[in-house]
Amino acid sequence: MPRVIEIKPSHTPTELRRLAASGKDANQCRRLLSIAAVLDGMSRAEAAKIGGMDRQTLRDWAHRFNEQGPAGLKDNRRRGNPRRLSQAQLAELSEIVETGPSRAVDGVVRWRRIDLQRVITDKFGIDYHERSIGKLLKHLGFSHISARPRHPGQDGEVIAAFKKTGPTRSRRTSKA
């Protein structure tokens, strides 16, 4: 027979229901209502059904409630993996992107993600996937901008002559 976990009566069922009614996190509210039902004397299976979970899950949430109180019933959202580059390295990378590549040294006329991937590996010894380079650039505040294509045989004088240049309009004078 499994051991029944006691829920510490740090809050009354009425207080838990009040917290659930005023809460903004739906999952936390469901868990508060389930624990309030257990404190009212309802069976664990019925109380778990109120919160849309099974008895084992209710038991796990009861442990967290006993340790951390109502705040422990919120979901723990991970913030993702930490950045592999330090703040100093990120600042240096930002400077590299801002100044642009040198055709003689880097062999390119504009930065592409694959080029920056190579630069980061060579300079900092850290391997990033090409897609992660884009995310890293977005984090640094850069956006994707492409130059407007220009045909190499394009003549500036022909373009200037083609533009519509009409006579300047004079302002109408109002007759009073």
Side-chain angles (χ1 to χ4, degrees), residues 97-116:
V97 173
E98 191 71 37
T99 57
S102 168
R103 187 174 185 147
V105 176
D106 301 310
V108 295
V109 294
R110 68 178 177 91
W111 286 127
R112 298 175 302 167
R113 290 186 300 185
I114 196 162
D115 300 323
L116 289 172

Side-chain angles (χ1 to χ4, degrees), residues 110-111 143-149:
R110 68 178 177 91
W111 286 127
S143 62
H144 175 75
I145 299 175
S146 249
R148 185 172 179 170

Side-chain angles (χ1 to χ4, degrees), residues 95-150:
E95 184 66 29
I96 289 170
V97 173
E98 191 71 37
T99 57
S102 168
R103 187 174 185 147
V105 176
D106 301 310
V108 295
V109 294
R110 68 178 177 91
W111 286 127
R112 298 175 302 167
R113 290 186 300 185
I114 196 162
D115 300 323
L116 289 172
Q117 179 184 20
R118 180 184 43 79
V119 168
I120 291 171
T121 303
D122 294 345
K123 192 157 191 83
F124 305 118
I126 297 173
D127 291 325
Y128 272 101
H129 187 271
E130 186 180 337
R131 178 176 279 168
S132 298
I133 299 295
K135 292 177 184 178
L136 191 61
L137 290 173
K138 184 175 182 178
H139 170 73
L140 291 173
F142 293 101
S143 62
H144 175 75
I145 299 175
S146 249
R148 185 172 179 170
R150 182 172 181 258

Side-chain angles (χ1 to χ4, degrees), residues 34-161:
S34 292
I35 290 180
V38 170
L39 290 175
D40 276 340
M42 190 179 284
S43 74
R44 300 280 171 133
E46 292 171 354
K49 194 180 286 186
I50 288 173
M53 59 185 101
D54 60 1
R55 281 189 357 232
Q56 179 60 44
T57 306
L58 176 62
R59 182 177 187 273
D60 295 340
W61 286 111
H63 280 294
R64 284 195 37 192
F65 178 78
N66 286 339
E67 293 170 8
Q68 303 171 12
L73 298 179
K74 289 184 178 179
D75 292 327
N76 289 335
R77 303 224 189 270
R78 288 195 57 205
R79 298 287 181 216
N81 294 332
R83 302 244 179 249
R84 290 184 269 171
L85 293 174
S86 68
Q87 289 299 324
Q89 291 171 329
L90 285 173
E92 189 174 345
L93 177 64
S94 181
E95 184 66 29
I96 289 170
V97 173
E98 191 71 37
T99 57
S102 168
R103 187 174 185 147
V105 176
D106 301 310
V108 295
V109 294
R110 68 178 177 91
W111 286 127
R112 298 175 302 167
R113 290 186 300 185
I114 196 162
D115 300 323
L116 289 172
Q117 179 184 20
R118 180 184 43 79
V119 168
I120 291 171
T121 303
D122 294 345
K123 192 157 191 83
F124 305 118
I126 297 173
D127 291 325
Y128 272 101
H129 187 271
E130 186 180 337
R131 178 176 279 168
S132 298
I133 299 295
K135 292 177 184 178
L136 191 61
L137 290 173
K138 184 175 182 178
H139 170 73
L140 291 173
F142 293 101
S143 62
H144 175 75
I145 299 175
S146 249
R148 185 172 179 170
R150 182 172 181 258
H151 191 275
Q154 196 172 30
D155 187 8
E157 293 174 11
V158 174
I159 293 173

